[in-house]
Amino acid sequence: MPSSVQSKFLACAMLLFVAIALLAGPRAQAGLTWESDNGQQIAPALATHYSSDVRGLLVETTISQRFVNASSDWLEGVYTIPLPEGAALHGLTLRIGERLIEGEVQLRQDARVTYEAAKLEGRKTALVENQQGNLFRTRVAEVGPGESVEVELRLSHEVRFEQGRFELVLPLSLVPRFGAAPNLDGAFSQLDAASTEHGEPPRASVELWIDAGVPVQAPYSNTHSLKVSGSGTQYEVSSGSVPIVANRDLVLRWEPRPADAPSAALFTQEIAGEQYALVMLVPPSDPGPRLPRELILVLDTSGSMQGVSLAAAKAAARLALGGLTDVDRFNLIRFSSNHVQLFAQSQPPSADNLAQALGFVEAMRASGGTLMAPALASAFALPDDAERVRQVVFVTDGAVSSEDQISAQVSSDAGSARLFAVGIGSAPNAHFLRKAAELGRGSALMVRDPAEAEVRMGELLQQLNSPLLTRLSIHSEVPVQTLPAVLPDLYAGQSLMIMLRGKQLTGKLRVEGLRQGATWQRELPLRVRQDEGVARLYGRRLIGSLEDELRLGGDESQLRPQIEATALTFGLASRYTSFVAVDRTPARDPDGLSRKVAFGNARAVDDQAFAVTATSWPLTI
């Protein structure tokens, strides 16, 4: 066969093999196992390290995961990793011995073709794809016998300021979503047995450097035992010499000193001729007088709430009812496979009405599935009360999958209501709950330890008593784009972050709103600095905004190119773009065989059975 024809034949054959691999898709399995010729299950070693640099509310995190192939075969690793909510994945490095192979962002299908082609050629390669929400799937090919390969992911994300304190969450465990694609969910039936090595759960080492920007008390964690040193604004936190068990989210908190008035901060960055700004508003510690409100509690009583979760929800409801005043109105809705509404319209907290409500709460039993949408529709459809602020608080433990449906419903039906989501469990679907609350101009609260439910719910209710700044707006001397386009209210104990973009950020920026019926404003000088991560967070939020339009029925043919262009411009992974790294030197004889390995994540510590539900979503001051 002529050499030119032979080359074309080989090229066509390779493209055919790649196409077949793409059609098959990555095989999702749980557990540190792989199948050998004699059918034995072998668990390669897996080490994970988190390194985070915190500056006020901006965080730069590096996640390093090391694989050691103790077998005599060439292996391919496949595993799913959860990233922090809203994280902007912007870097991938494949470390092989002393060599570093930098990844690049490509369109999703292009990245898959690059990966599969490199694998067929026997080259070491890695691929990172966004799978669902904050879940990313990583594949590593051509791990040679006795070889150590390290995959390093770099991402930008945020510290949250809630209930008057800063909170950083690093997700160390994975909870599958009910109703998700089979290639994600179906593999977890053997997770308890397969995700451990020699009976020990996966572990991770952690190092964090914190520059809080303001004097704070020492950071603390209720989820893991950590070593803390430092004082004032500077702290170092680590897992020490013994890695922590990676079976629940790591939650780290620190609290600032009290303040008398809302504070504002501004950070900026310039990249490729565009300037970006991040505005943060922090509420005062004294909330001031409360406003009349209408509180609607929507409580999940599905079968997955059985036990401590339902008990926590009942305690939270009793607490909420006990905090009502004569000027307030209230209602309750419970939901499982169906929903029941207590009153046809919201009622004052009279003794009779409260007694009826407490009886309604005590009679709740956990059973059935979860149909959240009809319950929320009933809450939004209640007769309007122009004299009161309507606050819809829904409490659920479900890991939900129908995120698009609920997000669209909240966006279109919430009206003047503010939606507040409370997630109960060690690893709730915080991504969806926060997104729903954002669309409902409210906030989300994650209660990962049911024993803390009453205390945390009390903090949320105290926050809801006091909307501090309403009708917020941004005014600039130069043209700017704002994210989000419609600004939410600022509540006690919760910060507000606003992203800006413009060609030239100069002059002054004025933030205006209403506080206790009077005009409040704050001016900030616009000047360009190089605050790392600001531009990437803008890109991630812009992608999130475009994806919201998709969920609400937007035209994918128009929105997809915008998402792809934004992700490529900012170098971010998204639903349409992925990171791929390829070693240009072949590591394995292409005619040899390579076996696939599934690297599992730790199961959430309280995950007896996944929720059966019909719905799934630093600044220096």
Side-chain angles (χ1 to χ4, degrees):
M1 180 182 297
S3 59
S4 60
V5 176
Q6 185 178 26
S7 299
K8 292 180 180 179
F9 175 80
L10 292 175
C12 291
M14 178 172 291
L15 288 176
L16 176 61
F17 288 137
V18 170
I20 293 173
L22 291 179
L23 289 173
R27 185 179 63 179
Q29 295 186 15
L32 298 168
T33 62
W34 64 288
E35 294 183 359
S36 62
D37 292 336
N38 57 13
Q40 294 180 351
Q41 299 293 308
I42 301 175
L46 167 63
T48 303
H49 179 73
Y50 289 78
S51 175
S52 295
D53 183 10
V54 181
R55 299 181 309 280
L57 290 181
L58 287 179
V59 189
E60 292 290 314
T61 292
T62 299
I63 304 175
S64 301
Q65 297 189 298
R66 182 171 53 85
F67 309 91
V68 178
N69 178 9
S71 76
S72 59
D73 292 307
W74 290 84
L75 302 178
E76 178 186 13
V78 182
Y79 64 99
T80 300
I81 181 171
L83 299 184
E85 301 162 47
L89 178 62
H90 61 82
L92 165 66
T93 299
L94 188 62
R95 186 188 304 269
I96 308 167
E98 298 300 322
R99 288 184 295 160
L100 294 180
I101 306 168
E102 289 294 336
E104 61 179 12
V105 64
Q106 296 181 3
L107 295 179
R108 190 180 184 97
Q109 288 301 318
D110 292 345
R112 286 187 179 183
V113 168
T114 300
Y115 177 84
E116 295 292 345
K119 189 171 66 171
L120 286 173
E121 294 173 351
R123 303 178 190 275
K124 287 181 169 60
T125 181
L127 175 69
V128 182
E129 298 179 303
N130 180 233
Q131 186 161 359
Q132 176 187 340
N134 66 324
L135 300 181
F136 285 75
R137 168 165 292 165
T138 300
R139 303 172 66 191
V140 184
E142 306 312 331
V143 183
E147 197 166 43
S148 173
V149 174
E150 184 175 306
V151 178
E152 180 181 281
L153 306 179
R154 297 182 295 281
L155 49 136
S156 298
H157 53 114
E158 304 169 26
V159 171
R160 296 190 178 273
F161 185 88
E162 298 176 329
Q163 282 73 54
R165 61 178 168 236
F166 298 95
E167 181 178 276
L168 173 64
V169 178
L170 295 178
L172 306 182
S173 63
L174 172 64
V175 174
R177 288 17 172 172
F178 174 85
N183 68 341
L184 171 63
D185 239 14
F188 288 88
S189 59
Q190 301 178 357
L191 186 58
D192 283 334
S195 65
T196 60
E197 183 178 7
H198 306 299
E200 292 294 328
R203 291 179 174 269
S205 59
V206 178
E207 290 182 293
L208 302 101
W209 294 268
I210 299 174
D211 181 357
V214 294
V216 296
Q217 298 181 13
Y220 62 95
S221 173
N222 293 331
T223 62
H224 294 83
S225 178
L226 300 171
K227 296 182 179 297
V228 179
S229 62
S231 62
T233 63
Q234 308 284 331
Y235 288 90
E236 183 174 343
V237 181
S238 73
S239 53
S241 58
V242 180
I244 58 178
V245 176
N247 64 351
R248 67 176 70 199
D249 293 351
L250 186 154
V251 181
L252 188 69
R253 299 170 180 151
W254 55 98
E255 300 173 2
R257 293 179 181 175
D260 298 327
S263 303
L266 178 70
F267 272 61
T268 57
Q269 185 179 19
E270 180 176 4
I271 291 182
E274 293 281 351
Q275 298 178 359
Y276 304 86
L278 181 58
V279 180
M280 183 183 70
L281 298 177
V282 178
S285 53
D286 180 10
R290 56 173 295 172
L291 299 176
R293 62 199 179 99
E294 178 190 14
L295 180 65
I296 304 171
L297 295 175
V298 184
L299 306 172
D300 183 355
T301 60
S302 63
S304 63
M305 291 286 289
Q306 182 70 42
V308 293
S309 294
L310 184 60
K314 288 184 175 183
R318 289 191 293 266
L319 185 66
L321 294 172
L324 296 170
T325 67
D326 293 340
V327 299
D328 296 330
R329 298 293 182 267
F330 78 100
N331 212 331
L332 283 86
I333 300 173
R334 68 160 180 80
F335 67 94
S336 55
S337 297
N338 54 21
H339 71 282
V340 177
Q341 183 174 306
L342 179 57
F343 301 118
Q345 63 183 45
S346 298
Q347 299 293 314
S350 65
D352 289 343
N353 288 335
L354 286 176
Q356 190 174 349
L358 289 172
F360 183 84
V361 171
E362 294 305 320
M364 293 192 310
R365 298 292 182 268
S367 65
T370 306
L371 291 177
M372 185 185 298
L376 286 178
S378 293
F380 296 149
L382 283 167
D384 289 331
D385 187 342
E387 297 181 358
R388 292 171 177 82
V389 177
R390 173 171 289 180
Q391 300 167 337
V392 178
V393 179
F394 77 94
V395 183
T396 179
D397 76 332
V400 290
S401 61
S402 300
E403 302 171 353
D404 297 355
Q405 173 192 352
I406 302 300
S407 297
Q409 178 187 15
V410 171
S411 180
S412 62
D413 298 344
S416 62
R418 270 45 173 177
L419 182 66
F420 299 86
V422 180
I424 295 180
S426 65
N429 188 357
H431 180 76
F432 159 72
L433 294 175
R434 293 195 191 280
K435 178 56 65 175
E438 178 185 322
L439 292 172
R441 293 185 294 177
S443 63
L445 171 68
M446 301 301 117
V447 184
R448 291 174 171 82
D449 183 356
E452 294 184 342
E454 193 166 352
V455 173
R456 300 296 308 281
M457 192 69 179
E459 294 171 342
L460 175 62
L461 294 171
Q462 183 178 2
Q463 168 194 327
L464 298 187
N465 285 340
S466 305
L468 299 183
L469 292 176
T470 59
R471 301 184 184 179
L472 282 167
S473 59
I474 293 285
H475 304 272
S476 172
E477 298 176 1
V478 295
V480 296
Q481 295 174 324
T482 305
L483 287 178
V486 178
L487 303 183
D489 301 333
L490 178 68
Y491 281 85
Q494 180 188 19
S495 68
L496 177 62
M497 298 184 70
I498 306 165
M499 308 287 308
L500 305 175
R501 177 181 183 178
K503 287 292 184 182
Q504 190 174 17
L505 299 181
T506 58
K508 293 182 179 180
L509 186 74
R510 188 174 75 257
V511 186
E512 287 187 356
L514 290 179
R515 185 185 184 200
Q516 300 174 9
T519 301
W520 175 92
Q521 67 177 27
R522 181 63 53 86
E523 287 190 347
L524 300 169
L526 281 172
R527 59 182 183 275
V528 176
R529 309 185 310 183
Q530 286 304 107
D531 297 313
E532 185 68 23
V534 173
R536 283 192 292 266
L537 281 177
Y538 180 92
R540 183 67 189 92
R541 290 202 171 187
L542 179 55
I543 290 173
S545 177
L546 294 170
E547 289 177 341
D548 288 343
E549 291 187 43
L550 272 178
R551 295 186 181 96
L552 300 177
D555 186 349
E556 185 176 13
S557 65
Q558 295 182 7
L559 293 171
R560 177 169 181 165
Q562 296 180 52
I563 295 174
E564 292 176 343
T566 302
L568 293 174
T569 297
F570 290 92
L572 303 174
S574 70
R575 67 167 64 188
Y576 300 130
T577 56
S578 305
F579 268 93
V580 62
V582 178
D583 187 358
R584 299 307 173 187
T585 303
R588 174 183 58 82
D589 183 351
D591 294 330
L593 295 178
S594 177
R595 303 189 183 279
K596 184 173 292 187
V597 184
F599 294 93
N601 302 77
R603 191 173 188 165
V605 66
D606 63 349
D607 186 29
Q608 308 170 59
F610 295 124
V612 180
T613 163
T615 52
S616 122
W617 210 175
L619 300 168
T620 303
I621 299 177

